[in-house]
Amino acid sequence: MKIHPRCTYCLLSRIHMEAELSTDDEKLTYKAIMGGIDILNRMYAPGMPAAVLSTMMHRKAYEILNDNDPYREKKELSSMTAQRFLPVIRSHVFNGDSDDAGTFKRAVLAAVIGNYLDYGVMGLDVPIDIFDRTFTEHFKRGLDIDDTGKMLGRLDNVVYLADNCGEILIDTLVFEVIRKMGGKITLVVRGAPILNDATMEDIERFELADKVDRVLTTGSNAIGVCLDEAPEELREALANASLIISKGMANYETMSEESYRPIAYLLKVKCDPVGEDIGAPLGCSVARIFE
């Protein structure tokens, strides 16, 4: 996905947020924002990949703040929220018809709704306090774009690109269904903290390695998947996958720039530029495959 002019001020608002999460020092917050503005002035160019600019801006902010994980408390809150409501979410997924197609579709829907557990997207109100109510409302509405039927025959060797903390616990329901159907899963998380994305720390803390066949990392703290910084093992996994499942907007921004197929994007559309690019209005629940 290419950069949109609206991305610029959204990125600056996110840097402002993470600075306030990291410090009470207004001067340091000012420096972080000015660092982001400097990157914009020097590097922004129409048509450049969106994630390239966002990675540079966030890395500069982290450097100025001297903080490699300003979202740590938000990540904890997301994880605790998902853990608290996981039994209810699980009941929605597994209490319907028992055929593979129906169960897989419900698990994917649950994972997409879990993509709400995000912070710093301009205009997004994360429904932590009422997540159970929000989940139920969106579950009843279903997927606005539903290509789950096209995914069913491609689940033998899945590479699953995870997104945020918290929602990765809901993703485990998708893992469970795929493995029951005989598929294997390579789970991919960030190589180091960036925003509120899941890392190996979450894998170890919640013992998620037992729920998949292999765990890899992106090799860095780049936004989404930066293949220039990714280990060869990940590039090989992507090339050999029967299906890549890409979770969330950051992974969409990066993987939509690549030619790997087939790839399925699971996400909540939380900003207009992503919605316009993938072809779905703001707020939509999307499970779209590109073959």
Side-chain angles (χ1 to χ4, degrees):
M1 176 183 147
K2 306 303 183 185
I3 195 76
H4 190 285
R6 280 172 288 185
C7 298
T8 56
Y9 50 86
C10 183
L11 284 168
L12 286 173
S13 75
R14 194 154 194 168
I15 287 174
H16 180 228
M17 175 185 175
E18 60 201 30
E20 291 194 324
L21 291 174
S22 177
T23 182
D24 294 327
D25 185 338
E26 290 186 1
K27 292 182 178 179
L28 192 55
T29 296
Y30 171 81
K31 288 181 180 179
I33 294 170
M34 290 305 298
I37 291 172
D38 178 60
I39 295 291
L40 273 176
N41 284 336
R42 290 190 295 108
M43 304 305 299
Y44 173 74
M48 71 183 302
V52 170
L53 181 64
S54 58
T55 294
M56 289 189 290
M57 290 178 67
H58 287 299
R59 283 178 173 172
K60 174 56 71 173
Y62 282 30
E63 176 188 332
I64 292 170
L65 294 168
N66 193 28
D67 187 347
N68 73 339
D69 194 7
Y71 288 81
R72 61 181 64 82
E73 292 183 8
K74 293 293 188 183
K75 290 160 67 174
E76 175 70 13
L77 180 58
S78 293
S79 294
M80 293 303 98
T81 299
Q83 195 171 43
R84 174 185 173 189
F85 294 118
L86 191 58
V88 174
I89 296 170
R90 182 181 180 82
S91 70
H92 280 82
V93 171
F94 291 102
N95 284 357
D97 54 87
S98 59
D99 70 287
D100 290 341
T103 306
F104 179 69
K105 177 177 178 176
R106 291 192 298 274
V108 166
L109 172 58
V112 169
I113 299 170
N115 192 228
Y116 257 132
L117 295 174
D118 198 0
Y119 294 93
V121 179
M122 184 177 287
L124 177 68
D125 183 19
V126 183
I128 289 292
D129 295 336
I130 55 167
F131 187 73
D132 54 341
R133 190 193 317 166
T134 300
F135 181 90
T136 299
E137 290 172 356
H138 285 264
F139 197 87
K140 288 178 179 177
R141 193 176 85 184
L143 291 166
D144 297 290
I145 295 177
D146 178 13
D147 286 343
T148 54
K150 297 178 182 179
M151 302 175 201
L152 284 172
R154 304 177 182 271
L155 301 178
D156 295 338
N157 181 28
V158 174
V159 173
Y160 198 103
L161 305 176
D163 191 22
N164 299 324
C165 290
E167 74 172 278
I168 196 173
L169 299 180
I170 304 173
D171 294 337
T172 62
L173 302 179
V174 179
F175 306 160
E176 183 175 341
V177 175
I178 291 174
R179 296 183 89 187
K180 282 183 177 178
M181 295 170 63
K184 295 185 181 298
I185 302 167
T186 295
L187 175 61
V188 183
V189 295
R190 301 290 178 252
I194 187 69
L195 308 180
N196 61 317
D197 292 358
T199 65
M200 285 299 296
E201 182 179 343
D202 302 283
I203 300 297
E204 294 164 1
R205 176 182 177 185
F206 296 104
E207 300 180 343
L208 300 185
D210 295 338
K211 299 183 181 298
V212 296
D213 298 278
R214 178 172 57 160
V215 181
L216 302 177
T217 81
T218 59
S220 73
N221 72 336
I223 299 294
V225 181
C226 176
L227 290 174
D228 289 340
E229 299 177 357
E232 180 62 27
E233 192 175 18
L234 174 55
R235 293 195 293 269
E236 290 178 357
L238 292 169
N240 295 323
S242 61
L243 178 67
I244 300 166
I245 295 180
S246 171
K247 192 77 187 296
M249 295 199 304
N251 286 329
Y252 174 76
E253 290 175 14
T254 51
M255 295 305 294
S256 60
E257 289 288 304
E258 305 295 337
S259 58
Y260 291 105
R261 297 290 187 274
I263 186 166
Y265 295 106
L266 311 186
L267 55 87
K268 267 287 184 184
V269 178
K270 292 171 287 191
C271 75
D272 288 325
V274 168
E276 291 166 8
D277 199 74
I278 200 171
L282 192 68
C284 279
S285 296
V286 173
R288 168 161 283 175
I289 191 169
F290 291 83
E291 299 176 289

